[in-house]
Coordinates of all heavy atoms in Angstrom, one line a residue:
M1 N 20.1 84.8 -124.8 CA 20.1 83.9 -126.0 C 20.3 84.6 -127.3 O 20.6 84.0 -128.3 CB 18.7 83.2 -126.0 CG 18.5 82.2 -124.8 SD 19.8 81.1 -124.5 CE 19.6 79.9 -125.8
T2 N 20.2 86.0 -127.3 CA 20.5 86.7 -128.5 C 21.9 86.6 -128.9 O 22.2 86.3 -130.1 CB 20.1 88.2 -128.3 OG1 18.7 88.3 -127.9 CG2 20.3 89.0 -129.5
A3 N 22.8 86.7 -128.0 CA 24.3 86.6 -128.3 C 24.5 85.2 -128.9 O 25.3 85.0 -129.8 CB 25.1 86.9 -127.1
W4 N 23.9 84.2 -128.3 CA 24.1 82.8 -128.8 C 23.6 82.7 -130.2 O 24.3 82.1 -131.0 CB 23.4 81.9 -127.8 CG 23.3 80.4 -128.2 CD1 22.3 79.7 -128.8 CD2 24.4 79.5 -128.2 NE1 22.6 78.4 -129.0 CE2 23.9 78.3 -128.7 CE3 25.7 79.6 -127.8 CZ2 24.7 77.1 -128.8 CZ3 26.5 78.4 -127.9 CH2 26.0 77.2 -128.4
S5 N 22.4 83.2 -130.5 CA 21.8 83.1 -131.8 C 22.7 83.9 -132.8 O 22.9 83.4 -133.9 CB 20.4 83.7 -131.8 OG 19.6 82.9 -130.9
V6 N 23.2 85.0 -132.4 CA 24.0 85.8 -133.3 C 25.3 85.1 -133.7 O 25.6 85.0 -134.9 CB 24.4 87.2 -132.7 CG1 25.5 87.9 -133.5 CG2 23.2 88.1 -132.6
Q7 N 26.0 84.5 -132.7 CA 27.2 83.8 -133.1 C 26.9 82.5 -133.9 O 27.7 82.2 -134.8 CB 28.1 83.5 -131.8 CG 27.4 82.6 -130.8 CD 27.8 81.2 -131.0 OE1 28.7 80.8 -131.7 NE2 27.1 80.3 -130.3
L8 N 25.8 81.9 -133.6 CA 25.5 80.7 -134.5 C 25.2 81.1 -135.9 O 25.6 80.5 -136.9 CB 24.3 80.0 -133.9 CG 24.6 79.1 -132.7 CD1 23.3 78.4 -132.2 CD2 25.6 78.0 -133.0
A9 N 24.4 82.2 -136.1 CA 24.1 82.7 -137.4 C 25.3 83.1 -138.2 O 25.5 82.8 -139.4 CB 23.1 83.8 -137.3
R10 N 26.2 83.9 -137.5 CA 27.5 84.3 -138.1 C 28.3 83.1 -138.5 O 28.9 83.1 -139.6 CB 28.2 85.2 -137.2 CG 27.6 86.5 -136.9 CD 27.7 87.6 -137.9 NE 28.1 87.3 -139.2 CZ 27.4 87.5 -140.3 NH1 26.2 88.1 -140.3 NH2 27.9 87.3 -141.5
N11 N 28.4 82.1 -137.6 CA 29.2 80.9 -137.9 C 28.6 80.2 -139.1 O 29.3 79.7 -140.0 CB 29.2 80.0 -136.7 CG 30.3 79.0 -136.8 OD1 30.9 78.7 -137.9 ND2 30.7 78.4 -135.7
L12 N 27.3 80.1 -139.2 CA 26.6 79.4 -140.3 C 27.0 80.1 -141.6 O 27.1 79.5 -142.7 CB 25.1 79.4 -140.1 CG 24.3 78.7 -141.1 CD1 24.7 77.2 -141.2 CD2 22.8 78.9 -140.8
A13 N 27.1 81.5 -141.6 CA 27.4 82.2 -142.8 C 28.8 82.1 -143.3 O 29.2 82.3 -144.4 CB 27.1 83.7 -142.6
W14 N 29.8 81.7 -142.4 CA 31.2 81.7 -142.7 C 31.5 80.7 -143.8 O 32.2 81.0 -144.7 CB 32.0 81.4 -141.4 CG 33.5 81.3 -141.7 CD1 34.3 82.4 -141.8 CD2 34.3 80.2 -141.8 NE1 35.6 81.9 -142.1 CE2 35.6 80.6 -142.1 CE3 34.0 78.8 -141.8 CZ2 36.6 79.7 -142.3 CZ3 35.0 77.9 -142.0 CH2 36.3 78.3 -142.2
T15 N 31.0 79.5 -143.7 CA 31.4 78.4 -144.6 C 31.0 78.8 -146.1 O 31.9 78.7 -147.0 CB 30.8 77.1 -144.2 OG1 31.3 76.8 -142.9 CG2 31.2 76.0 -145.2
P16 N 29.8 79.2 -146.3 CA 29.5 79.6 -147.7 C 30.3 80.8 -148.2 O 30.6 80.8 -149.4 CB 28.0 79.9 -147.7 CG 27.5 79.3 -146.4 CD 28.6 79.2 -145.5
L17 N 30.6 81.7 -147.3 CA 31.4 82.9 -147.7 C 32.8 82.4 -148.2 O 33.3 82.9 -149.2 CB 31.5 83.9 -146.6 CG 30.3 84.7 -146.3 CD1 30.5 85.5 -145.0 CD2 30.0 85.7 -147.5
L18 N 33.4 81.6 -147.4 CA 34.8 81.1 -147.7 C 34.8 80.2 -148.8 O 35.5 80.4 -149.8 CB 35.4 80.5 -146.4 CG 36.9 80.1 -146.6 CD1 37.8 81.4 -146.8 CD2 37.4 79.3 -145.5
F19 N 34.1 79.1 -148.7 CA 34.2 78.0 -149.7 C 33.3 78.2 -150.9 O 33.7 77.8 -152.0 CB 34.0 76.6 -149.0 CG 35.0 76.3 -148.0 CD1 34.6 76.3 -146.6 CD2 36.3 76.1 -148.3 CE1 35.5 76.0 -145.6 CE2 37.2 75.8 -147.3 CZ 36.8 75.8 -146.0
G20 N 32.1 78.7 -150.7 CA 31.1 78.8 -151.8 C 31.4 80.0 -152.7 O 31.5 79.9 -153.9
A21 N 31.5 81.2 -152.0 CA 31.6 82.4 -152.8 C 33.1 82.8 -153.0 O 33.3 83.7 -153.8 CB 30.8 83.5 -152.0
G22 N 34.0 82.2 -152.2 CA 35.4 82.6 -152.4 C 35.7 84.1 -151.9 O 36.6 84.7 -152.3
Q23 N 34.8 84.5 -151.0 CA 35.0 85.9 -150.4 C 35.8 85.8 -149.2 O 35.4 85.9 -148.1 CB 33.6 86.5 -150.1 CG 32.7 86.7 -151.3 CD 33.2 87.8 -152.2 OE1 33.8 88.8 -151.8 NE2 33.1 87.5 -153.5
Y24 N 37.1 85.7 -149.4 CA 38.1 85.4 -148.3 C 38.1 86.6 -147.3 O 38.1 86.3 -146.1 CB 39.5 85.2 -148.8 CG 39.5 84.1 -149.9 CD1 40.1 84.3 -151.1 CD2 38.9 82.8 -149.7 CE1 40.1 83.3 -152.1 CE2 38.9 81.8 -150.6 CZ 39.5 82.1 -151.8 OH 39.6 81.1 -152.8
G25 N 38.1 87.8 -147.7 CA 38.1 88.9 -146.8 C 36.9 89.1 -146.0 O 36.9 89.3 -144.8
V26 N 35.7 88.9 -146.7 CA 34.4 89.0 -146.0 C 34.3 87.8 -145.0 O 33.8 88.0 -143.9 CB 33.3 89.0 -147.0 CG1 31.9 89.0 -146.3 CG2 33.4 90.2 -147.9
A27 N 34.8 86.6 -145.4 CA 34.7 85.5 -144.5 C 35.6 85.7 -143.3 O 35.2 85.3 -142.2 CB 35.2 84.2 -145.2
F28 N 36.8 86.3 -143.5 CA 37.6 86.6 -142.3 C 37.0 87.6 -141.4 O 37.0 87.4 -140.2 CB 39.0 87.2 -142.8 CG 39.9 87.5 -141.6 CD1 40.6 86.5 -140.9 CD2 40.0 88.8 -141.2 CE1 41.4 86.8 -139.9 CE2 40.8 89.1 -140.1 CZ 41.5 88.1 -139.5
L29 N 36.3 88.6 -141.9 CA 35.6 89.6 -141.1 C 34.5 88.9 -140.3 O 34.3 89.1 -139.1 CB 35.0 90.7 -142.0 CG 34.1 91.7 -141.2 CD1 34.9 92.5 -140.2 CD2 33.5 92.7 -142.2
D30 N 33.8 88.0 -141.0 CA 32.7 87.2 -140.4 C 33.3 86.4 -139.2 O 32.7 86.3 -138.1 CB 32.0 86.3 -141.4 CG 30.8 85.6 -140.8 OD1 29.9 86.3 -140.3 OD2 30.8 84.3 -140.8
A31 N 34.5 85.7 -139.4 CA 35.1 84.9 -138.4 C 35.5 85.8 -137.2 O 35.3 85.4 -136.0 CB 36.3 84.2 -138.9
A32 N 35.9 87.0 -137.4 CA 36.2 87.9 -136.4 C 35.0 88.3 -135.6 O 35.0 88.4 -134.3 CB 36.9 89.2 -136.9
L33 N 33.9 88.5 -136.3 CA 32.6 88.8 -135.6 C 32.1 87.6 -134.8 O 31.5 87.8 -133.7 CB 31.6 89.3 -136.7 CG 31.8 90.6 -137.3 CD1 30.8 90.8 -138.5 CD2 31.9 91.7 -136.4
V34 N 32.3 86.4 -135.3 CA 31.9 85.2 -134.6 C 32.7 85.2 -133.3 O 32.2 84.9 -132.2 CB 32.1 84.0 -135.4 CG1 32.0 82.7 -134.5 CG2 31.2 83.9 -136.6
T35 N 34.0 85.5 -133.3 CA 34.9 85.5 -132.2 C 34.4 86.5 -131.1 O 34.3 86.1 -129.9 CB 36.3 85.8 -132.5 OG1 36.8 84.8 -133.5 CG2 37.2 85.7 -131.3
L36 N 34.0 87.6 -131.6 CA 33.5 88.7 -130.6 C 32.1 88.2 -130.0 O 31.9 88.4 -128.9 CB 33.3 90.0 -131.3 CG 34.6 90.7 -131.7 CD1 34.3 91.9 -132.6 CD2 35.5 91.0 -130.5
A37 N 31.3 87.6 -130.9 CA 30.0 87.2 -130.4 C 30.1 86.0 -129.4 O 29.4 86.0 -128.4 CB 29.1 86.7 -131.6
I38 N 31.1 85.2 -129.6 CA 31.4 84.1 -128.6 C 31.8 84.7 -127.3 O 31.4 84.3 -126.2 CB 32.4 83.1 -129.1 CG1 31.8 82.3 -130.3 CG2 32.8 82.1 -128.0 CD1 32.9 81.5 -131.1
A39 N 32.7 85.7 -127.4 CA 33.1 86.4 -126.1 C 31.9 87.0 -125.4 O 31.8 86.9 -124.2 CB 34.2 87.4 -126.5
A40 N 31.0 87.6 -126.1 CA 29.8 88.2 -125.5 C 29.0 87.1 -124.9 O 28.4 87.2 -123.8 CB 29.1 89.0 -126.5
T41 N 28.8 86.0 -125.6 CA 28.1 84.9 -125.1 C 28.6 84.3 -123.8 O 27.9 84.0 -122.9 CB 28.0 83.7 -126.2 OG1 27.4 84.3 -127.4 CG2 27.1 82.6 -125.7
V42 N 30.0 84.2 -123.8 CA 30.6 83.7 -122.5 C 30.3 84.7 -121.4 O 29.9 84.2 -120.3 CB 32.1 83.6 -122.7 CG1 32.8 83.4 -121.4 CG2 32.5 82.5 -123.6
L43 N 30.3 86.0 -121.6 CA 30.0 86.9 -120.5 C 28.6 86.8 -120.1 O 28.3 86.8 -118.9 CB 30.3 88.3 -121.0 CG 31.8 88.7 -121.2 CD1 31.9 90.1 -121.8 CD2 32.6 88.5 -120.0
F44 N 27.7 86.6 -121.0 CA 26.3 86.5 -120.6 C 26.0 85.2 -119.9 O 25.2 85.1 -119.0 CB 25.3 86.6 -121.8 CG 25.3 88.0 -122.4 CD1 25.5 88.3 -123.7 CD2 25.0 89.1 -121.6 CE1 25.5 89.6 -124.3 CE2 25.0 90.4 -122.1 CZ 25.2 90.6 -123.4
F45 N 26.6 84.1 -120.4 CA 26.4 82.8 -119.8 C 27.0 82.7 -118.4 O 26.4 82.0 -117.6 CB 27.0 81.7 -120.7 CG 26.2 81.2 -121.9 CD1 25.1 82.0 -122.3 CD2 26.4 80.0 -122.5 CE1 24.3 81.6 -123.4 CE2 25.7 79.6 -123.6 CZ 24.6 80.4 -124.0
R46 N 28.1 83.4 -118.2 CA 28.7 83.4 -116.9 C 27.8 83.9 -115.8 O 27.9 83.4 -114.7 CB 30.0 84.2 -117.0 CG 30.8 84.1 -115.7 CD 32.1 84.8 -115.8 NE 33.0 84.2 -116.8 CZ 33.9 84.9 -117.5 NH1 34.1 86.1 -117.2 NH2 34.7 84.2 -118.3
R47 N 26.9 84.8 -116.2 CA 26.0 85.3 -115.2 C 25.0 84.3 -114.8 O 24.4 84.3 -113.7 CB 25.2 86.5 -115.8 CG 26.1 87.7 -116.0 CD 25.3 88.8 -116.6 NE 26.1 89.9 -117.1 CZ 25.7 90.9 -117.8 NH1 24.4 90.9 -118.1 NH2 26.5 91.8 -118.2
V48 N 24.7 83.3 -115.7 CA 23.6 82.3 -115.4 C 24.2 81.0 -114.9 O 23.8 80.5 -113.9 CB 22.8 82.1 -116.7 CG1 21.7 81.0 -116.5 CG2 22.2 83.4 -117.2
D49 N 25.2 80.5 -115.6 CA 25.8 79.2 -115.3 C 27.3 79.2 -115.7 O 27.6 79.2 -116.9 CB 25.0 78.1 -116.0 CG 25.5 76.7 -115.6 OD1 26.5 76.6 -114.9 OD2 24.8 75.8 -116.0
R50 N 28.2 79.2 -114.8 CA 29.6 79.2 -115.1 C 30.0 78.0 -115.9 O 31.0 78.0 -116.7 CB 30.4 79.3 -113.8 CG 30.3 80.7 -113.2 CD 31.4 80.8 -112.1 NE 31.3 82.1 -111.5 CZ 32.0 83.2 -111.9 NH1 32.8 83.0 -113.0 NH2 31.9 84.3 -111.3
R51 N 29.4 76.9 -115.7 CA 29.7 75.7 -116.4 C 29.4 75.8 -117.9 O 30.2 75.4 -118.8 CB 29.0 74.4 -115.9 CG 29.5 74.1 -114.5 CD 28.6 73.0 -113.9 NE 27.3 73.5 -113.7 CZ 26.2 72.9 -113.5 NH1 26.3 71.6 -113.3 NH2 25.0 73.4 -113.3
A52 N 28.3 76.5 -118.2 CA 28.0 76.7 -119.6 C 29.0 77.6 -120.2 O 29.4 77.4 -121.4 CB 26.6 77.3 -119.7
A53 N 29.4 78.7 -119.5 CA 30.4 79.6 -120.0 C 31.8 78.9 -120.2 O 32.5 79.2 -121.2 CB 30.6 80.8 -119.1
A54 N 32.1 78.0 -119.4 CA 33.4 77.3 -119.5 C 33.4 76.4 -120.7 O 34.6 76.0 -121.1 CB 33.6 76.5 -118.2
L55 N 32.3 76.0 -121.3 CA 32.3 75.1 -122.4 C 32.6 75.9 -123.7 O 33.0 75.3 -124.7 CB 31.0 74.4 -122.6 CG 30.7 73.4 -121.5 CD1 29.2 72.9 -121.6 CD2 31.7 72.3 -121.5
L56 N 32.5 77.2 -123.7 CA 32.7 78.0 -125.0 C 34.1 78.3 -125.4 O 34.4 78.4 -126.5 CB 31.8 79.2 -124.9 CG 30.3 79.0 -125.0 CD1 29.6 80.3 -124.7 CD2 30.0 78.3 -126.3
P57 N 35.1 78.5 -124.4 CA 36.4 78.8 -124.9 C 37.1 77.9 -125.9 O 37.8 78.3 -126.8 CB 37.2 78.9 -123.6 CG 36.2 79.4 -122.6 CD 35.0 78.7 -123.0
P58 N 36.9 76.5 -125.8 CA 37.5 75.7 -126.8 C 36.9 75.9 -128.2 O 37.5 75.9 -129.2 CB 37.1 74.3 -126.3 CG 37.0 74.4 -124.9 CD 36.4 75.7 -124.6
Y59 N 35.6 76.2 -128.2 CA 34.9 76.6 -129.5 C 35.5 77.9 -130.0 O 35.8 78.0 -131.2 CB 33.4 76.7 -129.2 CG 32.6 77.3 -130.3 CD1 32.7 76.9 -131.6 CD2 31.7 78.3 -130.0 CE1 31.9 77.4 -132.6 CE2 30.9 78.9 -131.0 CZ 31.0 78.5 -132.3 OH 30.2 79.0 -133.2
R60 N 35.7 78.9 -129.1 CA 36.3 80.1 -129.6 C 37.7 79.9 -130.1 O 38.1 80.5 -131.1 CB 36.4 81.1 -128.4 CG 36.9 82.5 -128.8 CD 36.8 83.4 -127.7 NE 37.2 84.8 -128.1 CZ 37.5 85.7 -127.3 NH1 37.5 85.5 -126.0 NH2 37.9 86.9 -127.8
C61 N 38.5 79.0 -129.5 CA 39.8 78.7 -130.0 C 39.7 78.1 -131.4 O 40.5 78.4 -132.3 CB 40.5 77.7 -129.1 SG 41.1 78.5 -127.6
R62 N 38.7 77.2 -131.7 CA 38.5 76.6 -133.0 C 38.2 77.7 -134.0 O 38.7 77.7 -135.1 CB 37.4 75.6 -133.0 CG 37.4 74.8 -134.3 CD 36.0 74.4 -134.7 NE 35.0 75.3 -134.8 CZ 34.7 76.0 -136.0 NH1 35.4 75.9 -137.0 NH2 33.6 76.8 -136.0
V63 N 37.4 78.7 -133.6 CA 37.0 79.8 -134.6 C 38.2 80.6 -134.8 O 38.5 81.1 -136.0 CB 35.9 80.6 -134.0 CG1 35.6 81.8 -134.8 CG2 34.6 79.7 -133.9
V64 N 39.1 80.9 -133.8 CA 40.3 81.7 -134.1 C 41.2 81.0 -135.0 O 41.8 81.6 -135.9 CB 40.9 82.1 -132.7 CG1 42.3 82.7 -132.9 CG2 40.1 83.0 -131.9
F65 N 41.4 79.7 -134.8 CA 42.2 78.9 -135.7 C 41.7 78.9 -137.1 O 42.4 79.1 -138.1 CB 42.3 77.4 -135.2 CG 43.2 76.6 -136.0 CD1 44.5 76.7 -136.1 CD2 42.6 75.5 -136.7 CE1 45.4 75.9 -136.8 CE2 43.4 74.7 -137.5 CZ 44.8 74.9 -137.6
A66 N 40.4 78.8 -137.3 CA 39.8 78.8 -138.6 C 40.0 80.2 -139.2 O 40.2 80.3 -140.4 CB 38.3 78.5 -138.5
A67 N 39.9 81.2 -138.4 CA 40.1 82.6 -138.9 C 41.6 82.7 -139.4 O 41.8 83.4 -140.4 CB 39.8 83.6 -137.9
A68 N 42.5 82.1 -138.7 CA 43.9 82.2 -139.1 C 44.1 81.5 -140.4 O 44.8 82.0 -141.3 CB 44.8 81.6 -138.0
L69 N 43.5 80.3 -140.5 CA 43.6 79.6 -141.8 C 42.9 80.4 -142.9 O 43.5 80.5 -144.1 CB 42.9 78.2 -141.7 CG 43.6 77.2 -140.8 CD1 42.8 76.0 -140.7 CD2 45.0 76.9 -141.3
N70 N 41.8 81.0 -142.6 CA 41.1 81.9 -143.6 C 42.0 83.0 -144.0 O 42.1 83.3 -145.2 CB 39.8 82.4 -142.9 CG 38.9 83.2 -143.8 OD1 37.8 83.4 -143.5 ND2 39.4 83.8 -144.9
W71 N 42.7 83.7 -143.1 CA 43.6 84.8 -143.4 C 44.7 84.3 -144.3 O 45.1 85.0 -145.3 CB 44.2 85.4 -142.1 CG 45.0 86.6 -142.5 CD1 46.4 86.6 -142.4 CD2 44.6 87.9 -142.9 NE1 46.8 87.8 -142.8 CE2 45.8 88.6 -143.1 CE3 43.4 88.4 -143.1 CZ2 45.7 90.0 -143.5 CZ3 43.3 89.8 -143.5 CH2 44.5 90.5 -143.7
S72 N 45.2 83.1 -144.0 CA 46.3 82.5 -144.8 C 45.8 82.3 -146.3 O 46.5 82.6 -147.2 CB 46.8 81.2 -144.2 OG 47.7 80.6 -145.0
V73 N 44.6 81.8 -146.4 CA 44.1 81.6 -147.8 C 43.9 82.9 -148.5 O 44.2 83.0 -149.7 CB 42.7 80.8 -147.7 CG1 42.0 80.8 -149.0 CG2 42.9 79.4 -147.2
R74 N 43.4 83.9 -147.7 CA 43.3 85.2 -148.3 C 44.6 85.8 -148.8 O 44.7 86.3 -149.9 CB 42.6 86.2 -147.3 CG 42.3 87.5 -147.9 CD 41.8 88.5 -146.9 NE 41.3 89.7 -147.4 CZ 42.1 90.7 -147.9 NH1 43.4 90.6 -148.0 NH2 41.6 91.8 -148.4
V75 N 45.6 85.7 -148.0 CA 46.9 86.3 -148.4 C 47.5 85.5 -149.6 O 48.1 86.2 -150.5 CB 47.9 86.2 -147.1 CG1 49.3 86.5 -147.5 CG2 47.4 87.2 -146.1
R76 N 47.4 84.2 -149.6 CA 48.0 83.4 -150.7 C 47.2 83.5 -152.0 O 47.8 83.3 -153.0 CB 48.1 82.0 -150.2 CG 49.1 81.8 -149.1 CD 49.0 80.4 -148.6 NE 49.8 80.2 -147.4 CZ 51.0 79.8 -147.3 NH1 51.7 79.5 -148.4 NH2 51.6 79.7 -146.1
N77 N 45.9 83.8 -151.9 CA 45.1 83.8 -153.1 C 44.6 85.2 -153.5 O 43.9 85.4 -154.5 CB 43.8 82.9 -152.9 CG 44.2 81.5 -152.8 OD1 45.0 81.0 -153.6 ND2 43.7 80.8 -151.8
G78 N 44.9 86.2 -152.7 CA 44.6 87.6 -153.1 C 43.2 87.8 -152.8 O 42.3 88.4 -153.0

């Protein structure tokens, strides 16, 4: 449950970093950390319940897409 909590906390921090503080680089790093934490969560969940692990890849895809948009905003806005 630690990996799950870490990825949720990191995800919660991403929105204020990007939209509130305008810290595009830090927000991108945070999104990358969320992606890694989701991967770790999948590995841990797979040991307990494969169905639970199978539900996380679409969420990871959404985070990767958000990170790509975040990177685009960073490149365009400096």
Side-chain angles (χ1 to χ4, degrees):
M1 293 311 284
T2 301
W4 174 254
S5 299
V6 167
Q7 63 92 13
L8 284 179
R10 296 279 13 121
N11 196 342
L12 182 63
W14 178 79
T15 301
L17 285 171
L18 183 69
F19 297 110
Q23 296 294 321
Y24 307 129
V26 177
F28 179 77
L29 176 62
D30 186 60
L33 293 173
V34 171
T35 302
L36 293 174
I38 294 169
T41 303
V42 168
L43 293 175
F44 291 128
F45 278 18
R46 188 177 292 155
R47 294 180 191 170
V48 178
D49 187 351
R50 288 191 178 272
R51 293 172 296 170
L55 292 173
L56 290 174
Y59 169 50
R60 187 174 181 199
C61 288
R62 189 211 57 90
V63 171
V64 169
F65 181 68
L69 292 175
N70 184 160
W71 182 257
S72 175
V73 168
R74 183 185 189 289
V75 168
R76 293 173 192 263
N77 293 313

